[in-house]
Amino acid sequence: MTLTCTGIGIGVTSSIAIGEAYHLQCGQAEARRRTIAPEDVEHETARYQQAVLGARQDLNAVRDQIPKATPTDIYAFIDTHLLMLEDAALVEAPIETIQSQRCNAEWALQLRRNELVKIFDAMEDPYLRTRKDDVDHVVGQIQKHLLGQQGSSTAIEEDLKGKIILAQDLTPADTILMRNQGVAAFVTEFGGPMSHTAILARSLGIPAVIGVHRVTQYLKHGELLIMDAEQGVVLANPDERTLEHYRNKSGDEQAHIASLRALVNEPATSVDGIDITLKANIELPEDIEATNDVGALGVGLYRTEFLYMNRAQPPNEEEHLASYKRIVEGLNGIPITIRTLDLGADKEMDSCCHEIQPASNPALGLRAIRLCLKEPTLFRPQLRAILRVSAYGPVRIMIPMLSSLQELHAVKSIIEELKQELKDEGHSFNPDIPVGGMIEVPAAALAADSFAKHLDFLSIGTNDLIQYTLAVDRVDDEVNYLYDPLHPSILKLIQLVIQAGHKADKAVSMCGEMAGNPLYIPLLLGMGLRKFSMQPGVLLEAKRIIRASDIGSLTKQVANLMSHLDEEDIVQRVKQLSSVMH
Ligand code: PEP
Ligand code: MG
């Protein structure tokens, strides 16, 4: 048998899949123009309306099939498409074209699609430019109904279990449906690390390699493939020895996953007996299941932004309370840290903040705590609800993006005022609710000792700390090669914060992505970090690493590394710290 290396793309998970190739025909069928008789215009209009309705029904059905424990807001992908199916641009404009040009519905839709794609193509923002994919996905969904094909994809009816799907691109709806059918993996021609397909594959736990150019031309339907997502490689027609090698690798991986499950109820205690606290980051009430499933000791970061998104008015106190209560009760007594609103910059402010002028530089403008202090109608109902939910379980408040002590004093005085209000109204709450702050702006890290005096706990937000320290926009592809968690400045700032917390006897945790990255955990342990909060999906691997760590020895090695931070082999030396755990 021959072995062909067919392509290298971007692996979005770290798994291996072996299976038969399945070609998914998902390209848009070219619509042809047909002129229709005046008496057929009404029928053609109705046919188009029926197709839009059918597309909506399909998407609603897919929405119901999203796995409940998925730890990301993947509903948003489907909701965006559903909103587009309500928009006049796709609902009304093609009908006007059918009527004015007396043409068939497929052609009218194609014309509209071309216009919309042109608009997206002209956009300067590279992220928005890629959103033309959404237009194509929704148009494709309507076209299928016009062509009389039911369901989200032509392939959905077939048995896809164990197959490796090859496609030019995948719609979010197809991705969800095929995951539920047990596909082994996806390989696509298009897409980057932040594309919908990549994000969905990661959050649904499907092995995937994306951006393998022309893969659908080179690989045949039905042939045997090996997909190594860690290397971003797809191999066709492997010989026996290669197959054996990958089967073993994949078996090791499965055994590794199974062995991690055995750690769920074990403590995260190091070899030399130091207890580490591992908590989960969550964004939605649905994430509770994943949190409990991995045995997290609490929620170290609950991002509350989703409550404010996709709506015309900010949520009121009772809405906040209902949502927080559901989460607190679902956590069965483990503690939760609720972060107050952090809208702005990468977390889009949409219609519920329509009175606020767009900032000229959103990352440095009115975001997070700055926005909350400016807009009491956004902030006070949230704080009142957090205080009220503290009567139902161990709840802490966390303030994002603090940069000056003045802000902290202002927040604390509002909290005291609200406590008095709630008391007067007869509501119960924990009068000693801990108030902590995120240390994610370099100024706050450098002044961590002052903040530590006035906060009950500190949590290091490395995602923003890296962005602000290195002046690298965290979502801009063009500069992400500069986004370096191991930059000496970042390591120095992290160490400053940990030391400030220890000195003031205040707990320090980390809730940025760095906390859940296996490469950095030994380094952070050696720096003195004892509390970590991360996506539930990586928590058991973190626990495994901690249980294999000798923190005493790491402390000495890291002290040595920190005293030679000007050297250029930091990455190598950090890798060595973790090499003993593999
Ligand atoms: C961070 O900045 O590290 C963080 C955890 O917050 P977010 O990613 O929500 O900005
Ligand atoms: Mg942040």
Side-chain angles (χ1 to χ4, degrees):
M1 269 198 181
T2 48
L3 164 69
T4 327
C5 176
T6 56
I8 298 187
I10 303 164
V12 293
T13 50
S14 58
S15 317
I16 288 162
I18 301 172
E20 232 177 67
Y22 185 98
H23 266 263
L24 186 69
Q25 304 304 336
C26 59
Q28 304 261 329
E30 263 308 295
R32 286 174 188 272
R33 187 190 156 100
R34 248 184 325 106
T35 305
I36 54 172
E39 61 273 23
D40 289 338
V41 167
E42 200 177 319
H43 172 257
E44 200 61 13
T45 302
R47 199 166 73 83
Y48 184 73
Q49 286 165 332
Q50 207 49 46
V52 172
L53 198 68
R56 273 189 214 136
Q57 283 165 350
D58 283 350
L59 284 183
N60 276 316
V62 170
R63 204 180 184 287
D64 292 340
Q65 294 188 41
I66 296 174
K68 291 283 172 286
T70 307
T72 322
D73 190 6
I74 65 171
Y75 291 89
F77 288 105
I78 302 298
D79 289 343
T80 306
H81 289 190
L82 278 166
L83 277 176
M84 288 169 79
L85 283 168
E86 302 284 345
D87 198 293
L90 282 175
V91 177
E92 286 160 24
I95 292 179
E96 282 158 23
T97 309
I98 295 171
Q99 292 167 351
S100 62
Q101 297 196 15
R102 279 210 284 115
C103 65
N104 53 322
E106 290 87 346
W107 181 249
L109 178 60
Q110 178 78 32
L111 289 183
R112 190 63 194 143
R113 178 254 169 212
N114 294 349
E115 281 168 33
L116 290 170
V117 165
K118 225 189 208 161
I119 296 171
F120 278 99
D121 271 339
M123 288 186 178
E124 271 183 29
D125 183 329
Y127 176 77
L128 286 178
R129 257 200 321 269
T130 65
R131 295 305 89 182
K132 70 176 183 207
D133 296 350
D134 288 308
V135 175
D136 272 333
H137 291 162
V138 175
V139 165
Q141 206 89 25
I142 304 173
Q143 290 283 25
K144 275 172 199 150
H145 277 268
L146 288 173
L147 295 168
Q149 297 166 348
Q150 303 304 313
S152 171
S153 151
T154 44
I156 298 303
E157 302 303 312
E158 302 186 32
D159 182 11
L160 299 182
K161 198 162 179 354
K163 302 266 166 64
I164 296 183
I165 306 296
L166 308 176
Q168 288 179 340
D169 193 9
L170 289 169
T171 68
D174 283 349
T175 312
I176 293 164
L177 286 178
M178 288 192 284
R179 181 248 184 223
N180 290 352
Q181 288 202 350
V183 299
F186 294 123
V187 183
T188 64
E189 296 197 355
F190 302 122
M194 293 307 284
S195 66
H196 283 173
T197 315
I199 294 169
L200 275 169
R202 260 195 300 270
S203 58
L204 293 168
I206 312 168
V209 175
I210 58 173
V212 187
H213 298 295
R214 286 192 258 225
V215 72
T216 57
Q217 285 173 31
Y218 292 141
L219 294 182
K220 293 191 215 83
H221 185 82
E223 71 185 334
L224 188 65
L225 300 181
I226 295 174
M227 197 207 71
D228 181 347
E230 191 171 12
Q231 304 297 327
V233 170
V234 186
L235 304 169
N237 287 327
D239 58 27
E240 261 320 305
R241 271 184 56 201
T242 312
L243 255 180
E244 196 54 30
H245 168 77
Y246 277 97
R247 277 196 191 116
N248 288 340
K249 221 172 149 189
S250 159
D252 292 349
E253 199 180 281
Q254 296 307 323
H256 181 66
I257 293 168
S259 71
L260 289 182
R261 292 299 310 163
L263 298 181
V264 171
N265 296 315
E266 298 298 325
T269 305
S270 68
V271 170
D272 48 343
I274 299 175
D275 289 327
I276 305 298
T277 307
L278 294 184
K279 294 188 181 177
N281 292 351
I282 67 166
E283 290 169 27
L284 296 170
E286 286 76 16
D287 299 341
I288 306 169
E289 209 173 308
T291 303
N292 291 332
D293 184 52
V294 294
L297 293 185
V299 169
L301 166 64
Y302 167 28
R303 295 181 165 102
T304 54
E305 290 74 47
F306 92 97
L307 274 171
Y308 293 78
M309 290 178 174
N310 296 323
R311 52 186 297 155
Q313 295 300 327
N316 63 31
E317 180 178 329
E318 295 308 319
E319 283 174 86
H320 277 290
L321 183 62
S323 180
Y324 302 157
K325 220 172 129 202
R326 188 175 150 205
I327 294 179
V328 168
E329 287 174 349
L331 289 171
N332 306 316
I334 58 171
I336 175 166
T337 303
I338 304 181
R339 181 177 73 183
T340 59
L341 180 63
D342 183 12
L343 280 188
D346 58 298
K347 302 172 190 80
E348 275 173 60
M349 290 198 273
D350 26 25
S351 36
C352 90
C353 301
H354 38 70
E355 262 134 52
I356 295 159
Q357 294 295 320
S360 57
N361 189 342
L364 303 184
L366 203 57
R367 63 167 285 205
I369 194 57
R370 303 168 180 187
L371 174 69
C372 287
L373 288 171
K374 173 102 193 289
E375 294 291 327
T377 50
L378 288 178
F379 199 29
R380 292 173 80 96
Q382 176 172 44
L383 281 178
R384 279 178 55 100
I386 300 176
L387 283 165
R388 284 175 64 189
V389 83
S390 71
Y392 294 89
V395 171
R396 313 195 295 179
I397 302 178
M398 183 157 74
I399 320 295
M401 223 208 149
L402 284 169
S403 60
S404 87
L405 276 178
Q406 262 169 317
E407 288 169 320
L408 176 57
H409 295 321
V411 176
K412 286 178 88 169
S413 99
I414 298 172
I415 292 175
E416 288 313 310
E417 202 182 299
L418 295 178
K419 281 184 188 168
Q420 191 56 50
E421 249 179 51
L422 291 171
K423 199 168 159 200
D424 295 344
E425 292 166 20
H427 289 296
S428 325
F429 60 90
N430 171 12
D432 301 317
I433 187 168
V435 178
M438 289 200 57
I439 304 298
E440 51 183 347
V441 174
L446 288 164
D449 49 353
S450 312
F451 280 95
K453 279 190 203 135
H454 301 279
L455 288 165
D456 295 316
F457 62 94
L458 314 177
S459 188
I460 308 173
T462 49
N463 306 343
D464 277 312
L465 188 62
I466 298 168
Q467 146 162 285
Y468 290 123
T469 306
L470 303 182
V472 174
D473 185 336
R474 60 193 263 188
V475 291
D476 186 342
D477 286 350
E478 301 289 340
V479 287
N480 66 13
Y481 67 99
L482 290 168
Y483 192 90
D484 177 13
L486 296 182
H487 192 286
S489 60
I490 304 298
L491 301 187
K492 284 181 193 173
L493 288 176
I494 292 173
Q495 193 169 52
L496 260 183
V497 181
I498 295 173
Q499 286 170 350
H502 286 175
K503 229 193 222 155
D505 200 19
K506 300 288 170 68
V508 177
S509 66
M510 181 179 283
C511 60
E513 290 298 303
M514 220 177 146
N517 187 322
L519 177 63
Y520 307 133
I521 291 172
L523 169 74
L524 296 168
L525 291 171
M527 286 173 114
L529 191 74
R530 300 290 178 260
K531 295 177 192 300
F532 296 68
S533 191
M534 59 194 71
Q535 291 178 30
V538 293
L539 191 140
L540 291 176
E541 177 64 13
K543 195 185 272 189
R544 183 192 71 76
I545 291 169
I546 290 163
R547 287 169 62 87
S549 297
D550 177 341
I551 296 183
S553 153
L554 284 173
T555 307
K556 288 190 203 125
Q557 294 176 68
V558 172
N560 183 281
L561 184 141
M562 291 301 292
S563 59
H564 295 90
L565 274 183
D566 50 339
E567 290 179 11
E568 285 179 1
D569 58 351
I570 296 180
V571 181
Q572 267 328 100
R573 291 194 291 148
V574 170
K575 277 188 182 156
Q576 275 163 18
L577 293 177
S578 49
S579 59
V580 288
M581 282 76 158
H582 293 301

